[in-house]
Amino acid sequence: MSNTLPLIQRVFAALALLVLLAGCATTPPDSVLAVPAPAQKYAAIVVDARTGKQLFEVSSTAQRYPASLTKMMTLYLLFDALESGRVTKQTQIPVSDHAASQPPTKMRFRRGESIDVDSAIRAIVVKSANDVAVAVGEYLGGSEDQFAAMMTSKARQLGMTSTIFRNASGLPDDGQMTTARDMAVLGMALHRRFPQQFHYFSESDFMFRGRLVRGHNDMLGRVRGVDGIKTGYIRASGFNIVTSYNADGRNLIVVVMGADSARQRNDHVEALIQRSLSPTMDGAKTRLMFAEQ
């Protein structure tokens, strides 16, 4: 009997350990996610673009300033004009004095100059050129104000219920508002509606009038599978981004708004991608550590 008791104790101890390990395997541990933004500016969402399933969200329906994410809609309407035959990639878009007067970032045109549609797309995607975005808006809408109304109308058609556009560039305007959710809807719409044009969003530089124009979307080439889309910044918004990830049968749209810097924003996007791809994070609770905490 004395020899049997320790054996029974060892068996029960082993069974208890197995139960504990099984519980750990089925119940994901809580995780802590550093947020590089104050809570009043931050908003984020991750969506599985193939299924529409929301994988992560914080304040995704709260009103935020879009900054240059606005240009995604400017490009949506330009791609639509290309598909309908209203313009071709060789069509020359005149740059008005109003367009040329926009603050940087811009391509800097002289009076009377124009830009072809293909170069205009690249200038908006890569350089986030405000002068080119306004020129496109004036060309397609007759005026920038009329074009902004077209942008808002298209937003409603796409299901962007909380977005109002006031200009084509995303330059500061107190009335120009959106949400992280709406920007995710727009990112998915661009990918689905214009797959033949989506390659523009993966370009990090282009040649214009004999000089190389470099972009500043540093997510391109940083994370395998990232193929666009657009960054944005104004002081009121913080650093924003919509990112498309497409690799190994997974397609994600990641939106982050309100970050304190471009580097921290990009680090956060990478963390959200890794989190969303990890099967161990499914169902895990996430505790947020905001920048001011």
Side-chain angles (χ1 to χ4, degrees):
M1 184 68 176
S2 59
N3 291 333
T4 307
L5 186 59
L7 176 61
I8 293 174
Q9 289 175 333
R10 287 198 298 270
V11 169
F12 275 108
L15 287 172
L17 180 60
L18 287 173
V19 170
L20 178 63
L21 290 174
C24 291
T26 57
T27 306
D30 291 359
S31 64
V32 177
L33 183 64
V35 177
Q40 65 271 22
K41 278 190 175 183
Y42 178 71
I45 190 169
V46 182
V47 180
D48 185 322
R50 297 185 189 275
T51 66
K53 181 182 178 182
Q54 181 177 287
L55 305 177
F56 176 87
E57 78 84 29
V58 176
S59 301
S60 64
T61 59
Q63 291 279 287
R64 297 289 186 263
Y65 295 108
S68 282
L69 302 187
T70 296
K71 296 183 176 81
M72 292 165 57
M73 182 59 82
T74 300
L75 289 164
Y76 189 101
L77 293 178
L78 183 52
F79 292 158
D80 197 44
L82 268 172
E83 189 169 273
S84 69
R86 182 179 174 188
V87 300
T88 69
K89 290 185 178 182
Q90 292 73 44
T91 298
Q92 292 292 316
I93 296 175
V95 180
S96 69
D97 289 346
H98 170 65
S101 71
Q102 301 302 303
T105 302
K106 60 182 184 178
M107 298 299 291
R108 302 185 183 278
F109 292 89
R110 298 187 182 91
R111 175 168 289 185
E113 289 187 323
S114 62
I115 183 171
D116 64 276
V117 166
D118 182 67
S119 296
I121 296 169
R122 298 175 196 276
I124 293 172
V125 170
V126 176
K127 188 68 172 176
S128 200
N130 295 319
D131 50 0
V132 177
V134 172
V136 167
E138 291 176 333
Y139 186 81
L140 295 180
S143 71
E144 189 176 11
D145 286 344
Q146 290 176 326
F147 185 70
M150 292 167 56
M151 295 167 74
T152 302
S153 176
K154 180 58 68 175
R156 294 296 175 275
Q157 292 176 26
L158 295 176
M160 299 167 64
T161 57
S162 302
T163 297
I164 298 174
F165 292 112
R166 300 296 191 200
N167 60 50
S169 64
L171 284 167
D173 186 307
D174 288 344
Q176 183 142 296
M177 303 297 292
T178 191
T179 67
R181 175 199 169 275
D182 280 3
M183 286 293 108
V185 169
L186 181 54
M188 288 187 290
L190 280 162
H191 198 279
R192 292 172 181 171
R193 179 77 170 79
F194 305 108
Q196 72 280 12
Q197 311 294 352
F198 199 79
H199 67 90
Y200 283 110
F201 292 108
S202 66
E203 297 185 10
S204 57
D205 56 53
F206 74 107
M207 293 296 298
F208 184 68
R209 296 180 176 175
R211 65 185 179 94
L212 182 66
V213 179
R214 297 187 184 277
H216 42 252
N217 186 354
D218 293 332
M219 289 304 298
L220 295 170
R222 169 177 173 157
V223 177
R224 185 183 71 86
V226 167
D227 57 356
I229 302 177
K230 188 75 187 72
T231 63
Y233 171 80
I234 57 173
R235 185 176 299 174
S237 72
F239 289 84
N240 298 343
I241 194 168
V242 177
T243 294
S244 169
Y245 171 91
N246 196 354
D248 302 325
R250 298 294 303 275
N251 185 198
L252 307 176
I253 294 292
V254 182
V255 181
V256 170
M257 308 184 81
D260 287 336
S261 72
R263 180 184 59 79
Q264 290 176 315
R265 175 199 65 198
N266 295 343
D267 289 345
H268 190 56
V269 170
E270 185 171 359
L272 288 177
I273 291 173
Q274 292 174 347
R275 179 190 184 280
S276 300
L277 295 176
S278 172
T280 62
M281 294 306 297
D282 190 21
K285 295 180 180 178
T286 301
R287 186 163 60 90
L288 303 179
M289 292 290 291
F290 289 98
E292 69 267 26
Q293 291 180 325

